[in-house]
Amino acid sequence: MADNITFDPPSNLSLLQSDEFVIAHSFRADGTLLQSGDTEAVNSAWVWKSYGLADARARRIIETDLSLPEVVRDALLSPGDQYQITYEDGWLYGELPDLQHKHYGDPRELSYFRFAFNGRLFISGRRHPLQSVDDVRRAIVGGKVKPISPKALFNSIFRRFLDLLKTEITNLSETLDSIEDHIVGENWQGERERLVPVRRQIVVFHRYLTAATGLFRHIDHADRRAFPEELDDLVEGLSRRAETLHSEGEQLQQRARLLQDELLAKLTDQSNRFLYVLSIMTAVLLPSTVISGLFGMNTGGLPLAQSDHGFLLITLLALGTSAIVYFVVRKIGRPRK
């Protein structure tokens, strides 16, 4: 599959077999999709069956399909979700991440794509509609993608997932660029509300990329000698691409962390300035408060109580004392050269 293929939905979505819980496609040896009613369907080169695992009927079909190895059935029907890739008895099977379909969920939320394939059959399962799987299926029906084997289909689906993740990471990077422009400028006060969800999304994507990269690295070291040559090349190519995207995710995560640190430094500096102003005001007003408290007591013998200029003298005393305190505080708080 070429990297620059677009995945626009075709106008005609004719299928070989379609139901609400299972979709099946048959292919010729050249990767051409056999349409419903095609007389060559029984002699197809290979078949793709996609199951909606949230439906009990789909799970029952897999449970009773004795043509599948028991370990493959168990992997497809496992109650828990965990990333894994295993090669055994000619089958490559496991569970990998994928983005939820944009029309049925949050496209920035990740879900799980279960798969198993050998040379003649590709089985996929999902609990939620998945974007990469549906994009590849639509491209196949539209004639834009022609997978000649189950291995080529797996390659197309996982590469499509990495392309979608690359697009999301690029969008997050552009958002970080905008936040960075505001933080280094003067209009940074509202950027914390923008940065927090972006960093959370980067952490989520980076976590899944780390898991996927670790899986490929594990299977590359553990099972590589047991692989046929074509699977060996497939795993190696996908592993390199996942590691490249993982490195971009790490750089993006580092940028988000640095921007958060810069934003916190600006917030701290602003708080310190506010505290400094508040401290000066408190120090300046303290003498006046003390003087007004003393001369406001209802006791006898207060000085200047009988003087016609008492109020003016006390006011001048309070202002003078406050001025002296102000200049002393400013001199103490002024940084030394």
Side-chain angles (χ1 to χ4, degrees):
M1 181 184 68
D3 291 340
N4 59 350
I5 289 177
T6 57
F7 287 83
D8 300 324
S11 57
N12 181 15
L13 297 179
S14 58
L15 303 175
L16 171 67
Q17 178 185 347
S18 178
D19 203 324
E20 57 183 358
F21 62 93
V22 59
I23 299 174
H25 300 280
S26 289
F27 298 86
R28 297 187 181 94
D30 62 355
T32 304
L33 178 66
L34 291 168
Q35 302 297 330
S36 178
D38 198 319
T39 57
E40 299 181 17
V42 292
N43 298 318
S44 61
W46 64 281
V47 176
W48 174 20
K49 295 181 180 180
S50 178
Y51 293 93
L53 297 178
D55 195 300
R57 292 171 294 176
R59 301 178 64 86
R60 193 175 303 114
I61 290 175
I62 297 176
E63 288 174 354
T64 57
D65 189 351
L66 299 181
S67 64
L68 299 176
E70 183 178 357
V71 290
V72 172
R73 296 199 303 269
D74 291 342
L76 292 172
L77 299 175
S78 174
D81 291 321
Q82 59 180 351
Y83 296 137
Q84 59 175 334
I85 302 178
T86 306
Y87 180 76
E88 186 175 343
D89 297 331
W91 286 83
L92 187 69
Y93 60 92
E95 189 171 10
L96 289 173
D98 195 1
L99 297 179
Q100 293 188 18
H101 199 287
K102 60 184 177 182
H103 295 313
Y104 303 99
D106 187 349
R108 293 195 170 190
E109 290 295 329
L110 288 141
S111 190
Y112 295 87
F113 164 61
R114 298 185 179 186
F115 68 93
F117 68 88
N118 59 8
R120 291 272 303 172
L121 179 62
F122 188 99
I123 298 176
S124 62
R126 78 280 180 216
R127 289 195 177 96
H128 307 282
L130 302 177
Q131 190 67 52
S132 302
V133 177
D134 188 64
D135 285 348
V136 172
R137 181 182 67 82
R138 289 175 179 267
I140 289 173
V141 175
K144 296 180 179 180
V145 175
K146 296 182 179 181
I148 61 175
S149 65
K151 175 183 73 71
L153 177 61
F154 175 75
N155 182 54
S156 298
I157 291 175
F158 195 71
R159 280 181 177 271
R160 179 56 180 166
F161 164 70
L162 294 179
D163 289 342
L164 290 173
L165 212 56
K166 170 68 174 178
T167 300
E168 292 293 339
I169 289 177
T170 300
N171 293 336
L172 290 173
S173 179
E174 292 175 354
T175 303
L176 282 184
D177 290 341
S178 174
I179 294 174
E180 186 176 32
D181 291 340
H182 287 87
I183 288 178
V184 299
E186 299 298 328
N187 301 322
W188 56 269
Q189 283 76 7
E191 296 307 308
R192 184 175 182 276
E193 288 73 15
R194 295 178 62 196
L195 181 59
V196 170
V198 170
R199 189 180 180 196
R200 184 184 304 117
Q201 199 63 47
I202 292 173
V203 169
V204 171
F205 286 162
H206 183 263
R207 184 180 301 127
Y208 284 98
L209 277 171
T210 300
T213 305
L215 275 176
F216 280 114
R217 188 179 298 114
H218 170 75
I219 196 172
D220 185 46
H221 293 302
D223 300 335
R224 188 164 183 175
R225 285 179 293 182
F227 278 12
E229 183 178 355
E230 62 273 11
L231 279 182
D232 190 12
D233 295 339
L234 170 68
V235 170
E236 184 179 359
L238 292 178
S239 178
R240 284 200 303 266
R241 187 156 186 171
E243 286 179 356
T244 300
L245 198 58
H246 178 260
S247 298
E248 293 182 12
E250 283 187 335
Q251 294 174 5
L252 201 62
Q253 190 176 35
Q254 182 66 20
R255 280 190 61 198
R257 189 181 296 113
L258 290 174
L259 287 177
Q260 187 175 41
D261 291 343
E262 179 69 19
L263 188 59
L264 288 176
K266 284 184 173 288
L267 289 171
T268 301
D269 183 63
Q270 185 184 59
S271 298
N272 289 337
R273 288 199 302 269
F274 288 156
L275 289 174
Y276 179 65
V277 173
L278 183 61
S279 300
I280 290 179
M281 292 179 61
T282 302
V284 167
L285 294 177
L286 180 61
S288 300
T289 303
V290 173
I291 293 173
S292 63
L294 289 174
F295 283 90
M297 293 187 298
N298 295 322
T299 58
L302 288 175
L304 305 177
Q306 306 300 323
S307 175
D308 294 335
H309 305 289
F311 175 77
L312 179 60
L313 293 174
I314 294 303
T315 302
L316 292 175
L317 176 63
L319 292 176
T321 306
S322 297
I324 293 173
V325 171
Y326 173 76
F327 285 112
V328 170
V329 171
R330 285 293 304 273
K331 185 176 181 179
I332 294 175
R334 186 179 303 162
R336 296 181 180 180
K337 296 182 179 180

